[in-house]
Amino acid sequence: MRLRTILVLTLAPATLAAQSNAERVLSGAYTWSHDYDLLHQRIELRKFDWDSLAFDGTVKTTALSLRPGLDSLILDMSKWLQVRSVTGTGGAKLDFVHTSDSLVVRLARPAGFRDTVRFTVDYYGKVEQGRGLYFFKEEPGRPHRPQQVYSGGGTDGNPRWIPTFGGPTDKETWELIATVPTRYTVVSNGRLVSDRRVAGGLHTVHWSQERPASTYLISLVVAPLVKLTDRWRKVPLEYYIYPEDSALARPLFGVTPDMMETYTRLTGVPYPWAKYAQTTVADFIGGMENVTATTLVDWLPDRRAYLDRPWFQHSLIPHELAHQWFGDLVTTENWANYWLNEGMAEFMPGQYWGVKQGRHVEDDYYIDEYRKYIQTDARKRMPLATYNSNNVYPKGALVLQMLKKLLGPERFWSAMNRYLTRNAYGTANSDDLRQAVLDATGLNLGWFWSQWIYQAGYPQFAVSATYDSAASALTLTVKQTQVDTAKADSTGPRFTVPLAFTAPVTIRVGTAQGGADVIARRQIDRREQSFRIDGLRGQPTMVVFDDDNSILKSLDFNQPTPWLANQLAREEDLWNRDWAIQQLGQRTADTLAAAALRRAAQTADYDLTRASAAGWLRGFPADVALPALRAAVRDTSSRVRESAVQALGAIGGREAWTIVRAAWKDDPSYEVRAAALTAMAHLSPEGSREAVVLGLRTPSYRDVIQNAAIIAVLQHPDSGLISELDRIAGQQPLATIALAVLAARGDKQAADLIVKRLDDERSWVRAWALEAISRELDPDDALTLLRDALPKVRREDVRAAISAAIDKAVSSKQ
Ligand SMILES: [Zn+2]
C-alpha cells in the first residue's frame, strides 16, 4: 500500500502482556489462531446497485481441517453482509450464526484432521461507502469521474464484502467471477479465464488467481476502462485507464517492464505471477498492491508534469511493483511485522533509480525518506516491528539501506534472494529475514535487529574535535544524546530506545598538506567515547563523521566554516552534503559560508545539492544571495528553479520581484510557476492580483498552480478575488473550502456564495459546499449560515454528508 496522505491502520490494538517487544513479535503473539487452512475460494458477484451500495454474492470455500473433530468453521464477514443460506456438498443446508463480523458455519458432520471441507455462502452484499467497496455514480457533466465500483483491500478491507479469513497468514488460491453491464471492464487477480456475453446487456468475466496469496490481496475493479497492453519477457502487462487518459498512460506506465527486469536482476527472483495489471480509479487512497492487479489513484501526469519528476512514476509505480515480491510473494505473518511488506516496498524504488540513474539519485530518494522518518519519530517514537508502528515506510526503507551498506550489495542481495525463495508463496516474520542474512553471510546480526527493528529511535550524536599539533593527532569525542523516556504507552507496550547504539563508523580527515585523506574506521558502542586519529600531515581542513552516511542518525558537530565548505565541495554523499549546507546556511553573517553556498548552488553536480544551497541562501543579505539566485532560476532542473524562486520570495526587493515575475510568466514547470505565484503574492498582494486571477484559471497537474492561487486569495482576499474563487468552485474542492474558510472569518460575500452553491445544478459542487461548511465552520456558525438555505438543501445531499461525517468520525477513532 502507498498512501497519498497518511497511514491509518484500522485494527484495534490487542491487549498486550508486559513482554519485550522483540519477544512478542518473535513469539507470533500477533498472529491470529484458526483451526483450518483455506485452500480455495470461488467468488461470484452480480447485480451491483449503485443506489443502495449493494450486490449479490456467492462464495464457495474449500478448506482443510487442522484439528480432529472440527465441527464448525469461522470466517471473517462484515455484519452488513446479509447471509441468505449456507449449503454443504450436495446442496444440504448448513446451520450458521452470523454475529458481529464473524460467520460461524456448522458442518454437517465433524471433520477429521486434514479432511477437506466445502461449503457455499449465498448473500446479499451491502456495504457502507468506502468500507470494503467504493461505489461511485456517474455525475453528469463531471469530468474524469466515470461510474465505477472497486475494492479497497488492505489490512481489513476484504471481509467487508466477501466471507474469508482476514489475516495475512493463511494463503489460498481463488477465482473471481463478476457479471456486470458490457460497458464496464472487470479487472481482478491472476489469469483471465473467460469473458462471455450473457442476456440483458451483461457480460460475465472470470479471473483465476492460481498461485496462493493472502486474502487481503483479493481485488475487484468494475469501471468503463480501456486497456493498453505491454509485455515483460513472457508476462503480459495491462494498463487500465479511463478512455480520456489513453494518451497519458504509456509515458507513465511504460517504465514497468524495465522496473520488472531490474527487480528480477537485483533479487535473483523473476517476477513470480501470471500477469501484472495496473488500474486507475477515482479518489483512491494512493496505491494498493493487490496481487497481479495493483490499483492506483487516477492522477496521470501530463507531458509537462514530468519536468517535476512526478511522485506517481518515481515512487508509486515502483513501490507497488516491489510489493509483488515483498508482501505478495513473501507476506508478513502478522501486522506487527508489516514493515517487511512496507519497508521493502519503500526501499526498492531507491534501488531502481540508483541502478538506472546513479548514486546521487539513490541518495536523493533516501534523503526524502529520512526527512519523513525524523518528523514521524518526533511525534511518536516506535520500533519498526510492532503493532501499528508509525514508521514502517520510511524507517523500513532507511534500515534496509543501512543493512545494504553494512553488508555490501553482493551479500545483501544474496540474503534477500534467500528470504524470497525460502518463504515464497508463504509468510515471514522479522526474524526470518535475520535468518536469511545469517545463512547467506554467516553474520548473526542480532545486535542490528535488536536496536533497529525491535527497539525505537536512532542515535543522536554530539561530536567535538580537538587537534594536537605537537602530536599531529585529532581526537573526536562522540556522545550519544538520545534518551529513553521509559514511559509505557497507554495502549500497550513500552518501547525502549537504546542509550548506546552500536555501529561501525568511518571518519575521513583532510589536511592542509594535501595528499590523500586519512580514513579511520572505528566501532561505536558506548554512550560516550573518544577516537584518536594519528598520523595527520597537518591541521585538519575537513572532518567527515560517518563518511558514507552508513548510520541512520542526527549529527550535532560544530565545525569551523572552512571544514564545512571543504566538505560541501568534496563530498560525494548527498546526506553529508545536505548536512554541511544546513550548518553553513545558519551562518548568515559569514562571507565564507555564503561563498560556499553560492558555489554549490551554481556548480554542484547534482540538482538536490544546488536546490538545497539555493534555498538556504534566503537567510543571507540580498547583495550576497542575489547573484547566485539569479543564476539558479535559469538552472536546467525545475527543483533548483523552484527553490531559488522560494528564496527570492523570502529575500524580496525590486530585483527579486522582477525575477520571480518572469518565472511566473515563462517557466515551463508547473511547480516553479506555482512557487513563483506564491512568492509574488507574498511580495506584493496588490501587484500580484492579476497573476492570482490568471492562476485561478490555469490548469496544471494536480492543480498546483490553482492551489497556489487559492492560498494567495486566502492570504489577501478582496471581493473581486472572492468572485473569481467562486467561478472555479465546480472544478476542484479547494476553492469551495477556501470560501468556507473566508466565511468562517466573517466574510459575508464568501458566505453568500457558498450557500448559493448548496443549490448548484451539479451534485458534486453541492457536496463540496456542504462538506466545506461542516469542515471549516463551527457548528453554531454553520447553522446560522444555513438557516435560510436549509429548505433548498436536497435530501440526497444531506444523506451523503451525514454518511461522510460518520465515516470521518469512525476512522478518527480507530
Ligand atoms: Zn505499500
Side-chain angles (χ1 to χ4, degrees):
M1 203 184 305
R2 183 67 144 76
L3 301 188
R4 55 187 156 97
T5 48
I6 49 157
L7 174 74
V8 183
L9 274 179
T10 49
L11 290 168
T15 311
L16 300 162
Q19 227 176 347
S20 88
N21 196 52
E23 278 174 299
R24 210 175 304 111
V25 171
L26 288 177
S27 71
Y30 291 95
T31 307
W32 315 342
S33 293
H34 64 311
D35 48 12
Y36 59 88
D37 174 15
L38 275 186
L39 297 179
H40 186 80
Q41 288 188 299
R42 183 185 161 94
I43 303 155
E44 286 185 80
L45 309 163
R46 60 204 164 269
K47 294 190 182 163
F48 287 95
D49 181 344
W50 274 261
D51 289 318
S52 53
L53 312 185
F55 61 97
D56 279 354
T58 306
V59 175
K60 184 176 177 185
T61 300
T62 307
L64 201 64
S65 161
L66 290 184
R67 71 173 167 90
L70 181 78
D71 54 359
S72 57
L73 196 143
I74 305 172
L75 292 178
D76 299 307
M77 185 180 193
S78 160
K79 60 177 179 288
W80 279 66
L81 305 173
Q82 297 161 25
V83 179
R84 289 183 176 126
S85 70
V86 182
T87 48
T89 36
K93 292 256 188 242
L94 299 181
D95 287 340
F96 65 88
V97 182
H98 187 196
T99 50
S100 180
D101 289 327
S102 297
L103 174 70
V104 184
V105 176
R106 305 248 179 256
L107 302 176
R109 70 192 69 80
F113 181 60
R114 300 197 70 79
D115 278 357
T116 303
V117 173
R118 289 190 184 83
F119 59 88
T120 301
V121 180
D122 189 47
Y123 62 106
Y124 172 66
K126 174 125 179 71
V127 301
E128 298 164 272
Q129 171 67 342
R131 311 212 151 250
L133 295 178
Y134 294 73
F135 282 87
F136 290 91
K137 269 182 163 176
E138 188 173 12
E139 295 169 275
R142 183 167 181 184
H144 208 248
R145 181 65 169 257
Q147 179 138 328
Q148 56 195 282
V149 57
Y150 61 79
S151 61
T155 51
D156 74 337
N158 285 339
R160 296 172 187 271
W161 60 286
I162 42 176
T164 190
F165 178 75
T169 346
D170 191 349
K171 296 199 169 185
E172 62 163 358
T173 54
W174 63 85
E175 292 155 273
L176 191 144
I177 300 138
T179 301
V180 300
T182 47
R183 65 179 177 280
Y184 298 125
T185 300
V186 177
V187 188
S188 186
N189 318 90
R191 181 176 66 84
L192 181 66
V193 177
S194 64
D195 183 346
R196 292 189 329 271
R197 280 182 176 263
V198 293
L202 305 174
H203 67 146
T204 298
V205 185
H206 183 167
W207 289 95
S208 181
Q209 173 61 34
E210 291 162 337
R211 307 304 302 262
S214 299
T215 61
Y216 75 94
L217 301 168
I218 297 173
S219 173
L220 169 71
V221 178
V222 175
L225 300 167
V226 292
K227 175 171 86 171
L228 299 189
T229 61
D230 208 342
R231 188 163 284 275
W232 170 77
R233 298 190 187 177
K234 287 185 173 156
V235 179
L237 310 186
E238 298 164 358
Y239 315 137
Y240 293 94
I241 64 271
Y242 309 152
E244 64 262 38
D245 288 337
S246 298
L248 303 177
R250 221 171 270 284
L252 175 63
F253 293 116
V255 290
T256 311
D258 189 52
M259 285 177 179
M260 292 170 92
E261 183 64 34
T262 304
Y263 285 177
T264 294
R265 218 150 30 78
L266 288 174
T267 61
V269 176
Y271 177 79
W273 309 104
K275 68 126 195 290
Y276 189 52
Q278 294 172 90
T279 308
T280 60
V281 297
D283 277 8
F284 200 53
I285 52 155
M288 179 62 211
E289 67 274 17
N290 301 310
V291 60
T292 77
T294 284
T295 310
L296 299 162
V297 68
D298 58 1
W299 295 339
L300 286 84
D302 60 31
R303 207 155 54 97
R304 188 170 284 238
Y306 288 98
L307 295 174
D308 301 319
R309 194 167 78 181
W311 165 82
F312 203 120
Q313 188 176 69
H314 191 73
S315 303
L316 184 61
I317 291 176
H319 176 105
E320 303 306 340
L321 177 64
H323 271 310
Q324 302 298 319
W325 285 259
F326 299 100
D328 294 2
L329 178 64
V330 177
T331 308
T332 179
E333 177 190 310
N334 53 43
W335 300 128
N337 287 284
Y338 197 41
W339 83 276
L340 290 174
N341 287 14
E342 295 305 342
M344 286 301 312
E346 193 73 355
F347 165 73
M348 290 297 284
Q351 298 305 302
Y352 174 75
W353 293 111
V355 166
K356 299 321 276 184
Q357 297 182 355
R359 175 186 172 173
H360 287 334
V361 184
E362 183 174 336
D363 286 355
D364 183 351
Y365 179 89
Y366 297 105
I367 285 182
D368 205 36
E369 300 297 319
Y370 175 80
R371 289 183 183 137
K372 287 181 206 154
Y373 168 57
I374 296 296
Q375 281 174 9
T376 309
D377 185 84
R379 284 196 294 273
K380 186 175 180 184
R381 181 159 273 187
M382 296 177 83
L384 265 182
T386 195
Y387 202 79
N388 263 354
S389 175
N390 62 352
N391 55 39
V392 292
Y393 291 74
K395 189 182 181 185
L398 294 164
V399 166
L400 288 161
Q401 178 71 342
M402 196 161 40
L403 182 63
K404 186 179 145 225
K405 286 186 177 179
L406 183 72
L407 298 175
E410 291 102 325
R411 294 194 293 179
F412 176 83
W413 290 114
S414 170
M416 289 301 149
N417 178 273
R418 280 190 187 235
Y419 170 76
L420 285 171
T421 48
R422 179 174 300 159
N423 304 297
Y425 304 104
T427 59
N429 61 41
S430 297
D431 203 57
D432 292 323
L433 183 60
R434 191 193 58 82
Q435 188 69 44
V437 176
L438 174 63
D439 294 346
T441 66
L443 295 175
N444 180 341
L445 296 182
W447 61 273
F448 187 95
W449 255 247
S450 165
Q451 68 188 24
W452 290 114
I453 291 159
Y454 298 126
Q455 295 186 75
Y458 57 90
Q460 293 166 270
F461 292 114
V463 179
S464 58
T466 50
Y467 178 64
D468 177 348
S469 54
S472 297
L474 179 78
T475 301
L476 290 190
T477 305
V478 179
K479 294 180 188 166
Q480 299 191 38
T481 62
Q482 68 277 7
V483 290
D484 184 19
T485 58
K487 276 191 188 128
D489 187 278
S490 62
T491 59
R494 165 170 129 62
F495 302 127
T496 53
V497 176
L499 289 178
F501 278 80
T502 297
V505 65
T506 303
I507 298 150
R508 174 185 292 268
V509 185
T511 65
Q513 301 310 106
D517 295 338
V518 174
I519 309 279
R521 295 193 170 81
R522 299 287 188 274
Q523 182 72 11
I524 287 173
D525 52 13
R526 266 170 284 163
R527 185 80 173 158
E528 180 170 348
Q529 57 201 128
S530 293
F531 302 127
R532 185 183 151 107
I533 301 166
D534 290 304
L536 301 184
R537 289 206 195 87
Q539 287 273 355
T541 55
M542 176 183 90
V543 178
V544 182
F545 178 80
D546 191 15
D547 185 40
D548 42 4
N549 185 34
S550 296
I551 310 170
L552 171 53
K553 64 181 181 293
S554 67
L555 177 60
D556 181 1
F557 187 178
N558 189 15
Q559 298 187 1
T561 301
W563 292 15
L564 295 168
N566 275 336
Q567 183 174 344
L568 176 55
R570 296 187 44 207
E571 181 64 63
E572 269 300 296
D573 183 84
L574 286 196
W575 188 94
N576 284 347
R577 282 187 194 178
D578 224 52
W579 179 84
I581 287 172
Q582 282 178 42
Q583 312 304 307
L584 291 164
Q586 289 161 39
R587 300 180 185 187
T588 52
D590 184 335
T591 52
L592 193 56
L597 290 177
R598 281 203 312 255
R599 192 166 51 240
Q602 290 175 256
T603 64
D605 62 0
Y606 188 67
D607 68 351
L608 181 70
T609 308
R610 301 199 298 279
S612 177
W616 278 96
L617 279 170
R618 76 177 57 206
F620 287 77
D623 58 327
V624 173
L626 275 173
L629 294 176
R630 208 183 292 133
V633 291
R634 294 194 303 271
D635 201 282
T636 51
S637 159
S638 69
R639 72 208 294 205
V640 180
R641 302 198 300 275
E642 182 186 354
S643 181
V645 160
Q646 287 165 343
L648 288 162
I651 288 172
R654 182 185 295 270
E655 188 181 353
W657 168 262
T658 309
I659 300 172
V660 165
R661 195 179 52 180
W664 160 249
K665 286 198 167 140
D666 302 328
D667 202 284
S669 146
Y670 293 133
E671 297 283 355
V672 176
R673 293 195 70 206
L677 191 59
T678 302
M680 285 171 73
H682 171 70
L683 292 175
S684 168
E686 198 41 50
S688 63
R689 201 173 176 287
E690 199 183 318
V692 169
V693 172
L694 185 60
L696 288 173
R697 298 174 184 175
T698 303
S700 57
Y701 180 57
R702 294 180 63 188
D703 301 323
V704 287
I705 292 178
Q706 235 176 26
N707 291 347
I710 290 170
I711 289 163
V713 176
L714 280 181
Q715 282 160 353
H716 304 284
D718 67 40
S719 76
L721 288 176
I722 293 170
S723 311
E724 288 292 334
L725 258 191
D726 183 57
R727 272 168 54 104
I728 61 163
Q731 293 172 23
Q732 55 127 314
L734 194 63
T736 314
I737 291 171
L739 287 175
V741 169
L742 293 170
R745 289 190 206 153
D747 189 297
K748 179 81 173 63
Q749 183 196 4
D752 291 346
L753 288 171
I754 196 168
V755 166
K756 211 176 80 203
R757 289 297 170 201
L758 291 171
D759 195 24
D760 198 283
E761 279 305 297
R762 299 162 295 183
S763 56
W764 68 95
V765 179
R766 301 197 303 271
W768 288 345
L770 209 52
E771 198 198 323
I773 290 170
S774 74
R775 182 180 138 160
E776 299 299 336
L777 274 79
D778 97 24
D780 288 340
D781 293 346
L783 267 183
T784 312
L785 185 75
L786 288 170
R787 193 169 297 136
D788 300 330
L790 267 180
K792 289 196 231 163
V793 176
R794 299 172 203 197
R795 252 180 94 89
E796 71 258 34
D797 294 346
V798 174
R799 191 195 304 259
I802 290 173
S803 119
I806 291 173
D807 223 47
K808 211 156 84 181
V810 170
S811 59
S812 72
K813 274 191 170 174
Q814 286 171 338

